[in-house]
């Protein structure tokens, strides 16, 4: 056992499988006491079972660590609150929350139903809000704490997962809002965009050229939860971790501007915009066009 997180109490959602499980095991191995939350659902969010969360608690205990299971649904306010309440009643404090829980309901936008949109946004985006909401109230009083959300490279856009992409984009804005709003209380907030071999990534219909294991993602999360990251002042950041690679995303910013002499009209914008403000080429669109070309040529598409 290491001691990178010695004395800390960390809650991890979606900790029963995949990346969440690796985060929970790694945090416990580094000395944290861990709240293991998992609703124990199938990849589309159905058929819940509490055995998934309690199984990881047993693994942590078998390795000499301390953990407690919460099998609640993070998309409910009561579920988010219970995760935080169990941390406080079991261990008396809460130093970090890591919101990993997620589901997929893939469909082209023009065919997507409300039943495919709502649960995906509820699990990812609201499921991060419910936990951040309850945890931030505790961390504000403690004058310390770390909030971590899970996004995806797909926040840039997705051909057949508009629900997932929209939720992942929302998580980045939620994380940045938390970083801004809680800065003066000593609370940090960051987002992780992982690429790792799990049941979820096994579903991607293309070869991923940069991919690693859930344990690679867990190492970054443990760092972000640590005093080392807090002392360095890491907040409001989005990090990709894909095997050997860790990358930081740029902050969104305006690229180019033009100013009207008086008020704009549509005609004047049509004259001025192409030569001044212009467009910012969309890397994902170029990649999708490349995949479409490869598909037409009969090759299996490659994507990062
Ligand atoms: N695996 C990747 O390459 C990859 C890429 C980009 C983003 N992500 C994100 O990383 C996170 C983890 O993904 P994974 O690949 O480990 O998936 P996974 O399916 O292996 O694990 C997700 C876990 O979340 C749990 N869960 C689902 N809904 C829940 C709810 N309402 N309440 C509590 N728990 C719930 C599931 O039971 C499951 O155990 C997700 O947010 C996913 O979107 C993963």
């Amino acid at each position: 056992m290491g001691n990178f997180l010695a004395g800390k109490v960390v809650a991890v959602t979606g900790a029963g499988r995949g990346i969440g499980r690796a985060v929970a095991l790694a945090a416990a191995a580094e000395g944290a006491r861990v709240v293991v939350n998992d609703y124990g659902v199938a990849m589309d969010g159905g058929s819940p079972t509490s055995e998934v969360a309690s199984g990881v608690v047993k693994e942590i205990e078998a390795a000499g660590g301390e953990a407690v299971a919460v099998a609640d649904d993070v998309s409910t306010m009561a579920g988010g609150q219970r995760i935080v309440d169990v941390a406080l009643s079991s261990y008396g404090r809460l130093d970090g929350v890591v919101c990993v829980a997620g589901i997929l309901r893939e469909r082209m936008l023009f065919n997507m139903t409300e039943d495919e949109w709502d649960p995906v946004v509820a699990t990812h985006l609201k499921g991060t809000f419910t936990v951040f909401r309850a945890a931030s109230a505790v961390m504000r009083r403690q004058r310390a704490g770390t909030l971590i959300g899970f996004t995806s490279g797909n926040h840039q856009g997705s051909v057949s997962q508009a629900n997932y992409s929209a939720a992942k984009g929302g998580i980045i804005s939620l994380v940045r809002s938390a970083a801004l709003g809680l800065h003066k209380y000593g609370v940090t907030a960051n987002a992780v965009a992982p690429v790792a071999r799990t049941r979820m990534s096994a579903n991607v219909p293309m070869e991923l050229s940069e991919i690693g294991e859930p344990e690679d993602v867990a190492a970054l999360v443990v760092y972000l939860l640590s005093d080392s990251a807090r002392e360095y002042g890491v907040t409001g950041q989005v990090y990709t971790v894909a095997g050997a690679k860790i990358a930081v995303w740029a902050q969104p910013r305006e690229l180019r501007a033009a100013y009207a002499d008086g008020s704009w009209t549509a005609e004047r914008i049509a004259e001025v915009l192409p030569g001044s403000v212009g467009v910012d080429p969309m890397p994902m669109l170029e990649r999708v066009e490349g995949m479409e070309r490869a598909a037409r040529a009969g090759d299996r598409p490659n994507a990062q």
Side-chain angles (χ1 to χ4, degrees), residues 143-145 147 176-189 230 233-236:
R143 289 290 196 273
L147 306 167
R176 291 208 172 105
S177 299
L180 288 176
L182 293 157
H183 179 69
K184 69 173 175 185
Y185 303 110
V187 178
T188 61
R230 295 175 55 78
V234 184
T235 196

Side-chain angles (χ1 to χ4, degrees), residues 17 19 38-39 41 73-74 100 164 168 194 196 198-200:
R17 296 191 186 87
I19 294 167
D38 204 294
Y39 195 33
V41 287
D73 175 359
V74 291
V100 191
Y164 180 84
K168 291 307 199 187
T198 66
R199 67 174 185 173
M200 200 184 270

Side-chain angles (χ1 to χ4, degrees), residues 252-301:
R253 49 175 67 86
E254 292 172 354
L255 207 53
R256 282 179 295 274
Y259 292 87
D261 190 9
S263 322
W264 287 109
T265 62
E267 288 80 4
R268 187 72 191 122
I269 293 170
E271 282 167 21
V272 170
L273 185 141
S276 56
V277 179
V279 295
D280 185 22
M282 193 183 177
M284 289 290 269
L285 190 56
E286 286 163 19
R287 198 181 301 168
V288 166
E289 284 172 344
M291 285 160 56
E292 285 166 357
R293 274 195 302 278
R296 277 196 298 276
D299 298 338
R300 192 165 187 242

